[in-house]
Amino acid sequence: MQLNVLGTALEPCCVDPATGYFRDGYCRTMSQDTGTHIVCAIMTSDFLNYTRLKGNDLSTPIPHWQFPGLIAGSKWCLCISRWLEAEKAGVAPPIVLEATLDKALKYTTLALLKKYKVPS
């Protein structure tokens, strides 16, 4: 059983569209996942624009990958490094702690993640 940053069972982030490195809805990773897609975030317009300008357009549909494109309000597993970049730039999207893999704590603190917690 994999754990979230709160120390409880990892919950799914989003299954429609299917997110995560394994496209199973969970923000899980493995050594081949160089992006470390472990943060379950709720997209904002500011973040989507930011990541597009950084070269990762998450808004444009890619039909051959069954990717519909994301809009503000969509949930998606983000790379921890991109989320941290966005946090420093002031555009980090809110996150779902229960669906964010505990490995995120190797890169940042729980206190910082809690600042962006989606209200329950």
Side-chain angles (χ1 to χ4, degrees):
M1 175 177 73
Q2 294 194 291
L3 301 177
N4 61 40
V5 294
L6 301 173
T8 57
L10 184 67
E11 295 180 11
C13 181
C14 183
V15 294
D16 187 21
T19 189
Y21 181 75
F22 298 100
R23 293 297 189 260
D24 63 357
Y26 288 85
C27 299
R28 303 180 303 120
T29 191
M30 61 186 276
S31 60
Q32 290 84 353
D33 176 14
T34 57
T36 316
H37 295 79
I38 57 176
V39 176
C40 179
I42 298 179
M43 300 299 98
T44 63
S45 296
D46 286 343
F47 175 78
L48 289 169
N49 185 54
Y50 174 81
T51 196
R52 180 182 57 78
L53 293 173
K54 291 288 187 177
N56 187 19
D57 182 359
L58 296 174
S59 301
T60 302
I62 306 173
H64 67 276
W65 286 348
Q66 291 81 46
F67 179 69
L70 303 177
I71 59 172
S74 299
K75 287 183 182 177
W76 197 249
C77 293
L78 295 180
C79 300
I80 183 69
S81 58
R82 178 53 48 89
W83 187 87
L84 288 169
E85 285 176 8
E87 196 277 331
K88 287 180 182 168
V91 293
I95 62 174
V96 180
L97 296 176
E98 296 82 0
T100 297
L101 191 67
D102 63 350
K103 186 174 182 177
L105 299 175
K106 292 183 179 181
Y107 300 90
T108 190
T109 65
L110 183 57
L112 179 63
L113 296 173
K114 282 184 173 182
K115 287 182 182 179
Y116 294 88
K117 178 187 178 194
V118 173
S120 303

mmCIF file of all heavy atoms in Angstrom, residues 12-14 17 19 27 38-49 51 58-59 70-79 83 86 91-100 113 116-120:
data_model
loop_
_atom_site.group_PDB
_atom_site.id
_atom_site.type_symbol
_atom_site.label_atom_id
_atom_site.label_comp_id
_atom_site.label_asym_id
_atom_site.label_seq_id
_atom_site.Cartn_x
_atom_site.Cartn_y
_atom_site.Cartn_z
ATOM 1 N N PRO A 12 -7.039 8.106 -4.990
ATOM 2 C CA PRO A 12 -6.938 8.477 -6.404
ATOM 3 C C PRO A 12 -7.052 9.992 -6.586
ATOM 4 O O PRO A 12 -7.730 10.666 -5.807
ATOM 5 C CB PRO A 12 -8.098 7.751 -7.062
ATOM 6 C CG PRO A 12 -9.026 7.386 -5.967
ATOM 7 C CD PRO A 12 -8.239 7.328 -4.705
ATOM 8 N N CYS A 13 -6.391 10.482 -7.611
ATOM 9 C CA CYS A 13 -6.450 11.907 -7.939
ATOM 10 C C CYS A 13 -7.566 12.160 -8.944
ATOM 11 O O CYS A 13 -8.461 12.942 -8.689
ATOM 12 C CB CYS A 13 -5.104 12.362 -8.498
ATOM 13 S SG CYS A 13 -5.009 14.107 -8.935
ATOM 14 N N CYS A 14 -7.503 11.481 -10.084
ATOM 15 C CA CYS A 14 -8.509 11.679 -11.129
ATOM 16 C C CYS A 14 -8.463 10.512 -12.109
ATOM 17 O O CYS A 14 -7.392 10.116 -12.554
ATOM 18 C CB CYS A 14 -8.227 12.994 -11.865
ATOM 19 S SG CYS A 14 -9.450 13.377 -13.128
ATOM 20 N N PRO A 17 -10.028 12.862 -16.922
ATOM 21 C CA PRO A 17 -9.138 11.942 -17.641
ATOM 22 C C PRO A 17 -8.210 11.202 -16.672
ATOM 23 O O PRO A 17 -7.910 11.706 -15.584
ATOM 24 C CB PRO A 17 -8.336 12.869 -18.553
ATOM 25 C CG PRO A 17 -8.296 14.174 -17.837
ATOM 26 C CD PRO A 17 -9.609 14.263 -17.092
ATOM 27 N N THR A 19 -5.145 10.163 -14.932
ATOM 28 C CA THR A 19 -3.900 10.880 -14.677
ATOM 29 C C THR A 19 -2.869 9.956 -14.049
ATOM 30 O O THR A 19 -3.139 8.789 -13.792
ATOM 31 C CB THR A 19 -4.162 12.109 -13.775
ATOM 32 O OG1 THR A 19 -2.975 12.899 -13.721
ATOM 33 C CG2 THR A 19 -4.592 11.714 -12.377
ATOM 34 N N CYS A 27 -1.313 9.340 -8.298
ATOM 35 C CA CYS A 27 -0.051 10.066 -8.455
ATOM 36 C C CYS A 27 1.068 9.221 -7.857
ATOM 37 O O CYS A 27 1.595 9.506 -6.780
ATOM 38 C CB CYS A 27 -0.142 11.435 -7.789
ATOM 39 S SG CYS A 27 -1.415 12.498 -8.486
ATOM 40 N N ILE A 38 3.883 13.194 -8.810
ATOM 41 C CA ILE A 38 3.399 12.737 -7.504
ATOM 42 C C ILE A 38 2.516 13.734 -6.764
ATOM 43 O O ILE A 38 2.054 13.443 -5.668
ATOM 44 C CB ILE A 38 4.583 12.334 -6.601
ATOM 45 C CG1 ILE A 38 5.579 13.483 -6.425
ATOM 46 C CG2 ILE A 38 5.282 11.095 -7.166
ATOM 47 C CD1 ILE A 38 6.731 13.191 -5.474
ATOM 48 N N VAL A 39 2.260 14.894 -7.356
ATOM 49 C CA VAL A 39 1.441 15.916 -6.705
ATOM 50 C C VAL A 39 0.067 15.974 -7.375
ATOM 51 O O VAL A 39 -0.026 16.252 -8.573
ATOM 52 C CB VAL A 39 2.107 17.307 -6.773
ATOM 53 C CG1 VAL A 39 1.201 18.372 -6.174
ATOM 54 C CG2 VAL A 39 3.459 17.288 -6.079
ATOM 55 N N CYS A 40 -0.974 15.719 -6.620
ATOM 56 C CA CYS A 40 -2.334 15.830 -7.149
ATOM 57 C C CYS A 40 -2.777 17.283 -6.999
ATOM 58 O O CYS A 40 -2.961 17.777 -5.888
ATOM 59 C CB CYS A 40 -3.285 14.906 -6.401
ATOM 60 S SG CYS A 40 -4.997 15.027 -7.007
ATOM 61 N N ALA A 41 -2.922 17.950 -8.129
ATOM 62 C CA ALA A 41 -3.249 19.378 -8.108
ATOM 63 C C ALA A 41 -4.548 19.652 -8.850
ATOM 64 O O ALA A 41 -4.939 18.904 -9.745
ATOM 65 C CB ALA A 41 -2.120 20.179 -8.738
ATOM 66 N N ILE A 42 -5.171 20.742 -8.467
ATOM 67 C CA ILE A 42 -6.364 21.218 -9.161
ATOM 68 C C ILE A 42 -5.933 22.424 -9.995
ATOM 69 O O ILE A 42 -5.454 23.424 -9.452
ATOM 70 C CB ILE A 42 -7.485 21.583 -8.181
ATOM 71 C CG1 ILE A 42 -7.878 20.326 -7.398
ATOM 72 C CG2 ILE A 42 -8.684 22.163 -8.931
ATOM 73 C CD1 ILE A 42 -8.966 20.542 -6.378
ATOM 74 N N MET A 43 -6.055 22.266 -11.296
ATOM 75 C CA MET A 43 -5.550 23.272 -12.220
ATOM 76 C C MET A 43 -6.218 24.628 -12.030
ATOM 77 O O MET A 43 -7.409 24.712 -11.728
ATOM 78 C CB MET A 43 -5.758 22.826 -13.671
ATOM 79 C CG MET A 43 -5.060 21.529 -14.056
ATOM 80 S SD MET A 43 -3.273 21.579 -13.908
ATOM 81 C CE MET A 43 -3.026 20.799 -12.313
ATOM 82 N N THR A 44 -5.411 25.659 -12.222
ATOM 83 C CA THR A 44 -5.900 27.038 -12.262
ATOM 84 C C THR A 44 -5.486 27.628 -13.604
ATOM 85 O O THR A 44 -4.532 27.141 -14.235
ATOM 86 C CB THR A 44 -5.287 27.891 -11.134
ATOM 87 O OG1 THR A 44 -3.867 27.966 -11.327
ATOM 88 C CG2 THR A 44 -5.612 27.322 -9.755
ATOM 89 N N SER A 45 -6.159 28.654 -14.025
ATOM 90 C CA SER A 45 -5.788 29.318 -15.286
ATOM 91 C C SER A 45 -4.359 29.843 -15.217
ATOM 92 O O SER A 45 -3.600 29.716 -16.181
ATOM 93 C CB SER A 45 -6.754 30.466 -15.590
ATOM 94 O OG SER A 45 -8.049 29.960 -15.799
ATOM 95 N N ASP A 46 -3.995 30.415 -14.084
ATOM 96 C CA ASP A 46 -2.638 30.949 -13.936
ATOM 97 C C ASP A 46 -1.587 29.855 -14.076
ATOM 98 O O ASP A 46 -0.573 30.031 -14.746
ATOM 99 C CB ASP A 46 -2.466 31.644 -12.587
ATOM 100 C CG ASP A 46 -3.173 32.988 -12.517
ATOM 101 O OD1 ASP A 46 -3.527 33.553 -13.574
ATOM 102 O OD2 ASP A 46 -3.365 33.478 -11.386
ATOM 103 N N PHE A 47 -1.820 28.704 -13.441
ATOM 104 C CA PHE A 47 -0.849 27.619 -13.547
ATOM 105 C C PHE A 47 -0.796 27.062 -14.961
ATOM 106 O O PHE A 47 0.293 26.805 -15.487
ATOM 107 C CB PHE A 47 -1.133 26.481 -12.559
ATOM 108 C CG PHE A 47 -0.185 25.337 -12.768
ATOM 109 C CD1 PHE A 47 1.114 25.410 -12.287
ATOM 110 C CD2 PHE A 47 -0.569 24.222 -13.499
ATOM 111 C CE1 PHE A 47 2.014 24.379 -12.531
ATOM 112 C CE2 PHE A 47 0.316 23.188 -13.747
ATOM 113 C CZ PHE A 47 1.613 23.255 -13.254
ATOM 114 N N LEU A 48 -1.942 26.855 -15.582
ATOM 115 C CA LEU A 48 -1.956 26.315 -16.943
ATOM 116 C C LEU A 48 -1.206 27.229 -17.902
ATOM 117 O O LEU A 48 -0.461 26.756 -18.772
ATOM 118 C CB LEU A 48 -3.392 26.076 -17.414
ATOM 119 C CG LEU A 48 -4.100 24.907 -16.721
ATOM 120 C CD1 LEU A 48 -5.593 24.923 -17.056
ATOM 121 C CD2 LEU A 48 -3.468 23.576 -17.111
ATOM 122 N N ASN A 49 -1.352 28.520 -17.744
ATOM 123 C CA ASN A 49 -0.624 29.464 -18.575
ATOM 124 C C ASN A 49 0.877 29.394 -18.270
ATOM 125 O O ASN A 49 1.708 29.375 -19.178
ATOM 126 C CB ASN A 49 -1.145 30.885 -18.375
ATOM 127 C CG ASN A 49 -0.498 31.860 -19.316
ATOM 128 O OD1 ASN A 49 -0.500 31.671 -20.533
ATOM 129 N ND2 ASN A 49 0.075 32.918 -18.768
ATOM 130 N N THR A 51 2.686 26.863 -17.017
ATOM 131 C CA THR A 51 3.329 25.640 -17.498
ATOM 132 C C THR A 51 3.394 25.617 -19.029
ATOM 133 O O THR A 51 4.350 25.106 -19.607
ATOM 134 C CB THR A 51 2.670 24.377 -16.900
ATOM 135 O OG1 THR A 51 3.538 23.268 -17.102
ATOM 136 C CG2 THR A 51 1.309 24.092 -17.471
ATOM 137 N N LEU A 58 -0.590 21.847 -21.051
ATOM 138 C CA LEU A 58 -1.561 20.871 -20.550
ATOM 139 C C LEU A 58 -2.988 21.196 -20.978
ATOM 140 O O LEU A 58 -3.902 20.441 -20.689
ATOM 141 C CB LEU A 58 -1.501 20.808 -19.020
ATOM 142 C CG LEU A 58 -0.191 20.315 -18.424
ATOM 143 C CD1 LEU A 58 -0.220 20.454 -16.903
ATOM 144 C CD2 LEU A 58 0.088 18.891 -18.838
ATOM 145 N N SER A 59 -3.165 22.320 -21.680
ATOM 146 C CA SER A 59 -4.504 22.759 -22.076
ATOM 147 C C SER A 59 -4.952 22.236 -23.434
ATOM 148 O O SER A 59 -6.149 22.109 -23.685
ATOM 149 C CB SER A 59 -4.556 24.293 -22.108
ATOM 150 O OG SER A 59 -4.237 24.816 -20.852
ATOM 151 N N LEU A 70 -6.590 20.039 -20.320
ATOM 152 C CA LEU A 70 -7.094 20.389 -18.998
ATOM 153 C C LEU A 70 -7.612 21.816 -18.981
ATOM 154 O O LEU A 70 -7.177 22.652 -19.773
ATOM 155 C CB LEU A 70 -5.975 20.244 -17.959
ATOM 156 C CG LEU A 70 -5.323 18.863 -17.872
ATOM 157 C CD1 LEU A 70 -4.196 18.883 -16.851
ATOM 158 C CD2 LEU A 70 -6.340 17.785 -17.536
ATOM 159 N N ILE A 71 -8.543 22.067 -18.086
ATOM 160 C CA ILE A 71 -9.091 23.402 -17.877
ATOM 161 C C ILE A 71 -8.993 23.704 -16.378
ATOM 162 O O ILE A 71 -8.763 22.796 -15.568
ATOM 163 C CB ILE A 71 -10.557 23.507 -18.351
ATOM 164 C CG1 ILE A 71 -11.445 22.499 -17.616
ATOM 165 C CG2 ILE A 71 -10.659 23.309 -19.863
ATOM 166 C CD1 ILE A 71 -12.930 22.656 -17.868
ATOM 167 N N ALA A 72 -9.182 24.951 -16.037
ATOM 168 C CA ALA A 72 -9.206 25.309 -14.615
ATOM 169 C C ALA A 72 -10.249 24.446 -13.913
ATOM 170 O O ALA A 72 -11.359 24.258 -14.413
ATOM 171 C CB ALA A 72 -9.524 26.789 -14.447
ATOM 172 N N GLY A 73 -9.861 23.857 -12.794
ATOM 173 C CA GLY A 73 -10.744 22.957 -12.057
ATOM 174 C C GLY A 73 -10.436 21.490 -12.285
ATOM 175 O O GLY A 73 -10.849 20.645 -11.490
ATOM 176 N N SER A 74 -9.703 21.159 -13.364
ATOM 177 C CA SER A 74 -9.313 19.766 -13.620
ATOM 178 C C SER A 74 -8.294 19.322 -12.584
ATOM 179 O O SER A 74 -7.436 20.102 -12.173
ATOM 180 C CB SER A 74 -8.666 19.622 -15.005
ATOM 181 O OG SER A 74 -9.523 19.983 -16.040
ATOM 182 N N LYS A 75 -8.370 18.056 -12.194
ATOM 183 C CA LYS A 75 -7.342 17.475 -11.328
ATOM 184 C C LYS A 75 -6.315 16.778 -12.216
ATOM 185 O O LYS A 75 -6.667 16.184 -13.238
ATOM 186 C CB LYS A 75 -7.952 16.446 -10.370
ATOM 187 C CG LYS A 75 -8.771 17.044 -9.261
ATOM 188 C CD LYS A 75 -9.259 15.948 -8.335
ATOM 189 C CE LYS A 75 -10.123 16.482 -7.221
ATOM 190 N NZ LYS A 75 -10.644 15.393 -6.379
ATOM 191 N N TRP A 76 -5.040 16.831 -11.792
ATOM 192 C CA TRP A 76 -3.974 16.212 -12.589
ATOM 193 C C TRP A 76 -2.771 15.962 -11.703
ATOM 194 O O TRP A 76 -2.502 16.732 -10.778
ATOM 195 C CB TRP A 76 -3.591 17.130 -13.743
ATOM 196 C CG TRP A 76 -2.812 16.452 -14.825
ATOM 197 C CD1 TRP A 76 -1.498 16.665 -15.141
ATOM 198 C CD2 TRP A 76 -3.286 15.464 -15.738
ATOM 199 N NE1 TRP A 76 -1.134 15.865 -16.191
ATOM 200 C CE2 TRP A 76 -2.215 15.119 -16.576
ATOM 201 C CE3 TRP A 76 -4.512 14.838 -15.912
ATOM 202 C CZ2 TRP A 76 -2.334 14.162 -17.583
ATOM 203 C CZ3 TRP A 76 -4.640 13.890 -16.914
ATOM 204 C CH2 TRP A 76 -3.558 13.565 -17.750
ATOM 205 N N CYS A 77 -2.050 14.882 -11.977
ATOM 206 C CA CYS A 77 -0.806 14.588 -11.269
ATOM 207 C C CYS A 77 0.323 15.391 -11.899
ATOM 208 O O CYS A 77 0.660 15.194 -13.070
ATOM 209 C CB CYS A 77 -0.477 13.102 -11.341
ATOM 210 S SG CYS A 77 -1.629 12.048 -10.443
ATOM 211 N N LEU A 78 0.896 16.282 -11.122
ATOM 212 C CA LEU A 78 1.986 17.132 -11.598
ATOM 213 C C LEU A 78 3.336 16.604 -11.138
ATOM 214 O O LEU A 78 3.439 15.946 -10.099
ATOM 215 C CB LEU A 78 1.831 18.550 -11.050
ATOM 216 C CG LEU A 78 0.618 19.342 -11.494
ATOM 217 C CD1 LEU A 78 0.639 20.718 -10.832
ATOM 218 C CD2 LEU A 78 0.578 19.476 -13.009
ATOM 219 N N CYS A 79 4.353 16.970 -11.901
ATOM 220 C CA CYS A 79 5.729 16.722 -11.482
ATOM 221 C C CYS A 79 6.016 17.606 -10.275
ATOM 222 O O CYS A 79 5.687 18.795 -10.290
ATOM 223 C CB CYS A 79 6.708 17.082 -12.591
ATOM 224 S SG CYS A 79 6.490 16.165 -14.110
ATOM 225 N N TRP A 83 5.697 21.798 -9.849
ATOM 226 C CA TRP A 83 4.869 22.416 -8.813
ATOM 227 C C TRP A 83 5.720 23.349 -7.948
ATOM 228 O O TRP A 83 5.305 24.459 -7.630
ATOM 229 C CB TRP A 83 4.175 21.351 -7.961
ATOM 230 C CG TRP A 83 3.203 21.965 -7.009
ATOM 231 C CD1 TRP A 83 1.901 22.268 -7.257
ATOM 232 C CD2 TRP A 83 3.468 22.412 -5.677
ATOM 233 N NE1 TRP A 83 1.337 22.876 -6.151
ATOM 234 C CE2 TRP A 83 2.280 22.975 -5.169
ATOM 235 C CE3 TRP A 83 4.595 22.383 -4.862
ATOM 236 C CZ2 TRP A 83 2.188 23.499 -3.887
ATOM 237 C CZ3 TRP A 83 4.510 22.917 -3.574
ATOM 238 C CH2 TRP A 83 3.313 23.462 -3.102
ATOM 239 N N ALA A 86 6.468 26.520 -9.813
ATOM 240 C CA ALA A 86 5.270 27.363 -9.831
ATOM 241 C C ALA A 86 5.050 28.018 -8.465
ATOM 242 O O ALA A 86 4.627 29.174 -8.396
ATOM 243 C CB ALA A 86 4.051 26.536 -10.234
ATOM 244 N N VAL A 91 2.395 30.935 -8.611
ATOM 245 C CA VAL A 91 1.244 30.422 -9.367
ATOM 246 C C VAL A 91 0.979 28.934 -9.110
ATOM 247 O O VAL A 91 0.329 28.270 -9.916
ATOM 248 C CB VAL A 91 1.413 30.674 -10.894
ATOM 249 C CG1 VAL A 91 1.371 32.149 -11.198
ATOM 250 C CG2 VAL A 91 2.686 30.030 -11.418
ATOM 251 N N ALA A 92 1.459 28.415 -7.980
ATOM 252 C CA ALA A 92 1.233 27.000 -7.677
ATOM 253 C C ALA A 92 -0.254 26.730 -7.501
ATOM 254 O O ALA A 92 -0.942 27.469 -6.805
ATOM 255 C CB ALA A 92 1.977 26.589 -6.423
ATOM 256 N N PRO A 93 -0.751 25.677 -8.125
ATOM 257 C CA PRO A 93 -2.165 25.335 -7.949
ATOM 258 C C PRO A 93 -2.392 24.647 -6.601
ATOM 259 O O PRO A 93 -1.450 24.092 -6.020
ATOM 260 C CB PRO A 93 -2.429 24.369 -9.106
ATOM 261 C CG PRO A 93 -1.113 23.713 -9.350
ATOM 262 C CD PRO A 93 -0.074 24.771 -9.057
ATOM 263 N N PRO A 94 -3.623 24.679 -6.118
ATOM 264 C CA PRO A 94 -3.934 23.964 -4.872
ATOM 265 C C PRO A 94 -3.762 22.460 -5.078
ATOM 266 O O PRO A 94 -3.860 21.960 -6.207
ATOM 267 C CB PRO A 94 -5.390 24.329 -4.601
ATOM 268 C CG PRO A 94 -5.936 24.835 -5.879
ATOM 269 C CD PRO A 94 -4.786 25.350 -6.685
ATOM 270 N N ILE A 95 -3.492 21.766 -3.977
ATOM 271 C CA ILE A 95 -3.248 20.328 -4.071
ATOM 272 C C ILE A 95 -4.166 19.540 -3.140
ATOM 273 O O ILE A 95 -4.681 20.059 -2.154
ATOM 274 C CB ILE A 95 -1.778 19.983 -3.778
ATOM 275 C CG1 ILE A 95 -1.388 20.389 -2.362
ATOM 276 C CG2 ILE A 95 -0.858 20.640 -4.793
ATOM 277 C CD1 ILE A 95 0.007 19.940 -1.972
ATOM 278 N N VAL A 96 -4.350 18.281 -3.503
ATOM 279 C CA VAL A 96 -5.121 17.337 -2.697
ATOM 280 C C VAL A 96 -4.099 16.487 -1.941
ATOM 281 O O VAL A 96 -3.451 15.613 -2.531
ATOM 282 C CB VAL A 96 -6.032 16.462 -3.586
ATOM 283 C CG1 VAL A 96 -6.826 15.481 -2.734
ATOM 284 C CG2 VAL A 96 -6.953 17.330 -4.432
ATOM 285 N N LEU A 97 -3.925 16.767 -0.672
ATOM 286 C CA LEU A 97 -2.908 16.073 0.128
ATOM 287 C C LEU A 97 -3.143 14.568 0.179
ATOM 288 O O LEU A 97 -2.191 13.787 0.140
ATOM 289 C CB LEU A 97 -2.867 16.642 1.545
ATOM 290 C CG LEU A 97 -2.445 18.105 1.667
ATOM 291 C CD1 LEU A 97 -2.548 18.552 3.123
ATOM 292 C CD2 LEU A 97 -1.047 18.334 1.127
ATOM 293 N N GLU A 98 -4.396 14.169 0.273
ATOM 294 C CA GLU A 98 -4.727 12.743 0.383
ATOM 295 C C GLU A 98 -4.348 11.952 -0.866
ATOM 296 O O GLU A 98 -4.216 10.735 -0.820
ATOM 297 C CB GLU A 98 -6.225 12.575 0.658
ATOM 298 C CG GLU A 98 -6.675 13.155 1.983
ATOM 299 C CD GLU A 98 -6.934 14.670 1.952
ATOM 300 O OE1 GLU A 98 -6.774 15.316 0.890
ATOM 301 O OE2 GLU A 98 -7.298 15.208 3.018
ATOM 302 N N ALA A 99 -4.157 12.645 -1.989
ATOM 303 C CA ALA A 99 -3.824 11.997 -3.256
ATOM 304 C C ALA A 99 -2.414 12.351 -3.732
ATOM 305 O O ALA A 99 -2.045 12.055 -4.869
ATOM 306 C CB ALA A 99 -4.850 12.372 -4.324
ATOM 307 N N THR A 100 -1.614 12.978 -2.861
ATOM 308 C CA THR A 100 -0.230 13.336 -3.180
ATOM 309 C C THR A 100 0.693 12.336 -2.489
ATOM 310 O O THR A 100 0.634 12.153 -1.266
ATOM 311 C CB THR A 100 0.071 14.775 -2.716
ATOM 312 O OG1 THR A 100 -0.773 15.669 -3.460
ATOM 313 C CG2 THR A 100 1.522 15.147 -2.943
ATOM 314 N N LEU A 113 3.319 22.156 1.678
ATOM 315 C CA LEU A 113 2.217 21.521 0.960
ATOM 316 C C LEU A 113 0.873 21.892 1.592
ATOM 317 O O LEU A 113 -0.095 22.159 0.880
ATOM 318 C CB LEU A 113 2.396 20.002 0.947
ATOM 319 C CG LEU A 113 3.619 19.483 0.193
ATOM 320 C CD1 LEU A 113 3.769 17.977 0.404
ATOM 321 C CD2 LEU A 113 3.546 19.825 -1.288
ATOM 322 N N TYR A 116 -1.150 24.900 0.504
ATOM 323 C CA TYR A 116 -1.877 24.819 -0.763
ATOM 324 C C TYR A 116 -2.975 23.763 -0.732
ATOM 325 O O TYR A 116 -3.544 23.422 -1.773
ATOM 326 C CB TYR A 116 -0.893 24.534 -1.898
ATOM 327 C CG TYR A 116 0.046 25.691 -2.109
ATOM 328 C CD1 TYR A 116 1.239 25.773 -1.400
ATOM 329 C CD2 TYR A 116 -0.282 26.713 -2.995
ATOM 330 C CE1 TYR A 116 2.089 26.870 -1.585
ATOM 331 C CE2 TYR A 116 0.569 27.790 -3.176
ATOM 332 C CZ TYR A 116 1.744 27.858 -2.461
ATOM 333 O OH TYR A 116 2.581 28.927 -2.625
ATOM 334 N N LYS A 117 -3.271 23.263 0.447
ATOM 335 C CA LYS A 117 -4.272 22.219 0.605
ATOM 336 C C LYS A 117 -5.641 22.673 0.123
ATOM 337 O O LYS A 117 -6.095 23.775 0.459
ATOM 338 C CB LYS A 117 -4.363 21.795 2.060
ATOM 339 C CG LYS A 117 -5.408 20.739 2.319
ATOM 340 C CD LYS A 117 -5.583 20.463 3.795
ATOM 341 C CE LYS A 117 -6.691 19.439 3.940
ATOM 342 N NZ LYS A 117 -7.176 19.335 5.286
ATOM 343 N N VAL A 118 -6.293 21.818 -0.631
ATOM 344 C CA VAL A 118 -7.666 22.059 -1.047
ATOM 345 C C VAL A 118 -8.542 21.918 0.189
ATOM 346 O O VAL A 118 -8.413 20.931 0.926
ATOM 347 C CB VAL A 118 -8.104 21.024 -2.120
ATOM 348 C CG1 VAL A 118 -9.582 21.158 -2.423
ATOM 349 C CG2 VAL A 118 -7.283 21.176 -3.373
ATOM 350 N N PRO A 119 -9.408 22.878 0.456
ATOM 351 C CA PRO A 119 -10.291 22.751 1.620
ATOM 352 C C PRO A 119 -11.155 21.499 1.519
ATOM 353 O O PRO A 119 -11.643 21.156 0.451
ATOM 354 C CB PRO A 119 -11.173 24.006 1.539
ATOM 355 C CG PRO A 119 -10.429 24.965 0.672
ATOM 356 C CD PRO A 119 -9.617 24.121 -0.281
ATOM 357 N N SER A 120 -11.289 20.805 2.626
ATOM 358 C CA SER A 120 -12.081 19.560 2.645
ATOM 359 C C SER A 120 -13.551 19.854 2.574
ATOM 360 O O SER A 120 -14.054 20.797 3.086
ATOM 361 C CB SER A 120 -11.784 18.771 3.927
ATOM 362 O OG SER A 120 -10.421 18.513 4.015
#
